[in-house]
Amino acid sequence: MYKKFIDLLDFIGANKKIEFIKIIVINLLIIIAAVVAFIFLKNIMIVFASLLMLVVSNYFLFSAFTNRKKAIINNRDQEFITLIGYFRFFITNSYNVYQAFKALVPYSSSYLSEQIDTFLQEIDHDKSVKPFISFADKFSIGIAKNIMLAIYHMVDEGEDDVHMIQFESLFSEINKNQQKSLIDNQDKRMSSLSSLPLIGAGSLTVLITFAIIHLMGEMINVL
């Protein structure tokens, strides 16, 4: 679990020291506030409320890291789709595959430009399909592998009409998938936003329940 969290922080480029301090400080503040409140109010509800606050706060903290990772992966996938559009333009204007990828570097983010440079170095030394598969594995969309395999066949068998038609077909498919993905992501965002009031209502219900139980216990003791 700890290693997965460290890997997550490394992936999103977060400062591990700062993030750990932030998590510790938030948890300590909640615990200290709970202890002080319990000492003065002498109410067992403070303990239950504090435990609930600890769970909820840590859930949202870790969810924020996970969401940042998803956003980075999604941005890389979207950039790949955009760059493939540029690649299509270059390849249809008499660039060979190597030249077309080289021409993508100025239009790429620092991450993708580094990956493209590595990819070009690999295909200089390895004429197999391996560098193409390795490059496709940098992205989460499944069609990336199909695209890179189609490009590999252009290199291996020549950039004839058959391979260009295959590439055009995949490019058309990737555009359709992009549109569907945008709609799906929008739906997920709306669903997550609509669930926040439910979480809040659920937490409030738990607190009210504990409060009622506590009050009933006090009434029984008085009677």
Side-chain angles (χ1 to χ4, degrees):
M1 186 68 180
Y2 175 77
K3 185 179 184 304
K4 286 184 178 180
F5 182 58
I6 294 296
D7 291 341
L8 176 61
L9 293 180
D10 286 335
F11 185 91
I12 64 177
N15 186 308
K16 289 190 284 292
K17 184 178 179 180
I18 291 176
E19 296 301 338
F20 272 113
I21 290 174
K22 187 191 300 182
I23 292 169
I24 292 169
V25 167
I26 291 173
N27 280 273
L28 279 177
L29 285 175
I30 295 174
I31 292 170
I32 292 170
V35 171
V36 172
F38 182 75
I39 290 172
F40 284 97
L41 299 176
K42 304 294 183 182
N43 192 328
I44 193 64
M45 277 300 301
I46 299 296
V47 176
F48 293 116
S50 302
L51 289 173
L52 185 61
M53 285 183 65
L54 280 172
V55 171
V56 172
S57 62
N58 282 293
Y59 170 79
F60 280 109
L61 279 171
F62 293 120
S63 292
F65 295 130
T66 304
N67 289 336
R68 282 167 65 182
K69 179 180 179 179
K70 289 178 180 177
I72 290 171
I73 292 172
N74 183 63
N75 288 337
R76 288 175 182 175
D77 289 343
Q78 294 300 320
E79 186 178 6
F80 172 79
I81 293 169
T82 301
L83 290 179
I84 287 300
Y86 294 160
F87 175 86
R88 175 175 173 266
F89 171 80
F90 291 129
I91 208 76
T92 54
N93 281 273
S94 303
Y95 284 66
N96 62 35
V97 170
Y98 189 95
Q99 292 168 338
F101 269 101
K102 194 72 176 176
L104 295 178
V105 173
Y107 305 98
S108 306
S109 64
S110 57
Y111 172 81
L112 258 296
S113 61
E114 182 181 333
Q115 297 304 320
I116 291 172
D117 283 335
T118 301
F119 167 66
L120 293 176
Q121 291 173 21
E122 287 178 352
I123 63 176
D124 279 337
H125 300 95
D126 187 350
K127 303 304 179 185
S128 72
V129 72
K130 185 178 177 181
F132 293 83
I133 297 298
S134 178
F135 184 77
D137 286 340
K138 307 298 180 185
F139 311 98
S140 66
I141 48 176
I143 200 170
K145 187 170 291 186
N146 294 335
I147 288 283
M148 294 308 297
L149 285 173
I151 293 173
Y152 168 73
H153 289 306
M154 287 184 188
V155 176
D156 190 48
E157 301 170 15
E159 297 160 21
D160 55 22
D161 291 340
V162 173
H163 291 97
M164 285 303 298
I165 291 171
Q166 181 187 15
F167 177 77
E168 288 289 344
S169 175
L170 287 170
F171 182 74
S172 176
E173 183 181 347
I174 205 172
N175 279 332
K176 290 178 183 177
N177 289 342
Q178 183 186 22
Q179 293 299 321
K180 184 177 182 299
S181 177
L182 289 173
I183 295 171
D184 290 343
N185 288 337
Q186 183 66 25
D187 289 342
K188 287 178 182 177
R189 279 195 293 269
M190 295 301 293
S191 296
S192 62
L193 287 174
S194 64
S195 67
L196 289 177
L198 294 176
I199 295 173
S203 301
L204 185 59
T205 302
V206 172
L207 286 174
I208 292 172
T209 302
F210 280 125
I212 292 172
I213 293 171
H214 180 69
L215 287 172
M216 288 178 67
E218 288 186 347
M219 290 174 65
I220 291 170
N221 291 333
V222 169
L223 293 174

